Amino acid sequence: EAQVTQNPRYLITVTGKKLTVTCSQNMNHEYMSWYRQDPGLGLRQIYYSMNVEVTDKGDVPEGYKVSRKEKRNFPLILESPSPNQTSLYFCASSLSPDSRKNIQYFGAGTRLSVL
Amino acid sequence: AQSVTQPDIHITVSEGASLELRCNYSYGATPYLFWYVQSPGQGLQLLLKYFSGDTLVQGIKGFEAEFKRSQSSFNLRKPSVHWSDAAEYFCAVGLTDKLIFGTGTRLQVFP
């Protein structure tokens, strides 16, 4: 089954404790992206990757890191989480990089709480 | 700058009633438009998309949307709402490197 898999689905942590949220897709997609969803703000892009070893900042990249060493995986790293990073996070992928014509497929989301 | 506005934060309808969710966009060229639905505890699922051609677009689950260039709108409609349609709905415009989302409309359905 074609899917984007995020882990964990729920995570509670404390300020400053490094964490990684994994994202994997099995559709051989070139493009992957991370969004965060906050009430009243919709979804905002954090980072994206057009292909292996190619990543770029989105609209809200501060406090986050990503890597794309393999085509299928795109982990999101919070080196020193802070309470303002409490949010619902979504990973997405699409066949090719142009988001105008390519449908993005979303994971089920990771709800993160930073205390 | 490109943007998407969903004026209605929360809409409540009775089951069986018709539905229209509003979406307005700001984009300099021909827009590529999407509607996604997020059911409780789920990821986002694509309902329909508009790239070009016929301005009335049919999607899944009985939804349709109409692109109106003169009004910069892409409103989502359904003739008869089911209780399972209760969810949050997002309109988005596609750029080369990302989707820009509206703030979402939460739909509540009463029996």
Side-chain angles (χ1 to χ4, degrees):
Chain A
E1 179 189 355
Q3 59 186 359
V4 178
T5 303
Q6 295 178 227
N7 280 297
R9 293 289 313 278
Y10 303 92
L11 180 59
I12 300 174
T13 190
V14 295
T15 299
K17 186 176 181 182
K18 181 180 178 180
L19 66 91
T20 299
V21 183
T22 63
C23 175
S24 179
Q25 50 91 6
N26 62 359
M27 297 170 278
N28 201 35
H29 284 173
E30 288 187 2
Y31 173 93
M32 297 186 74
S33 180
W34 277 102
Y35 295 85
R36 61 177 287 174
Q37 182 184 354
D38 301 291
L41 296 176
L43 283 84
R44 295 174 293 166
Q45 189 185 53
I46 303 171
Y47 268 95
Y48 65 96
S49 170
M50 296 287 199
N51 213 326
V52 176
E53 301 292 2
V54 180
T55 63
D56 212 341
K57 296 178 180 179
D59 296 318
V60 288
E62 293 78 20
Y64 304 95
K65 286 176 58 177
V66 293
S67 68
R68 187 93 181 272
K69 293 180 171 38
E70 307 166 282
K71 199 171 190 178
R72 64 183 291 124
N73 295 323
F74 191 46
L76 179 70
I77 303 158
L78 286 71
E79 295 268 0
S80 183
S82 63
N84 64 11
Q85 293 178 297
T86 293
S87 188
L88 179 58
Y89 292 86
F90 287 103
C91 180
S93 72
S94 64
L95 183 61
S96 62
D98 192 336
S99 295
R100 293 174 298 177
K101 289 191 173 184
N102 291 281
I103 296 168
Q104 290 196 25
Y105 296 85
F106 285 80
T110 295
R111 186 166 293 280
L112 171 65
S113 294
V114 183
L115 306 177
Chain B
Q2 304 91 348
S3 66
V4 176
T5 302
Q6 293 180 247
D8 304 305
I9 297 173
H10 187 205
I11 283 183
T12 301
V13 300
S14 298
E15 191 169 17
S18 63
L19 172 70
E20 183 168 29
L21 302 182
R22 296 184 290 165
C23 172
N24 293 98
Y25 65 88
S26 174
Y27 189 74
T30 301
Y32 297 80
L33 297 163
F34 304 81
W35 273 101
Y36 281 86
V37 60
Q38 183 184 12
S39 299
Q42 305 291 317
L44 279 77
Q45 181 183 22
L46 180 70
L47 283 176
L48 47 79
K49 62 188 183 296
Y50 171 77
F51 291 164
S52 64
D54 194 345
T55 57
L56 186 61
V57 179
Q58 301 298 320
I60 63 171
K61 304 185 180 187
F63 285 92
E64 67 178 25
E66 186 171 12
F67 170 62
K68 293 185 177 180
R69 184 186 300 276
S70 61
Q71 298 177 19
S72 298
S73 69
F74 188 55
N75 294 349
L76 182 71
R77 302 193 294 244
K78 186 170 185 177
S80 178
V81 171
H82 188 264
W83 64 266
S84 61
D85 293 324
E88 189 154 20
Y89 292 80
F90 292 94
C91 181
V93 63
L95 307 183
T96 52
D97 55 358
K98 64 185 172 186
L99 294 171
I100 292 187
F101 287 89
T103 51
T105 297
R106 182 165 295 279
L107 174 65
Q108 192 170 6
V109 181
F110 280 115

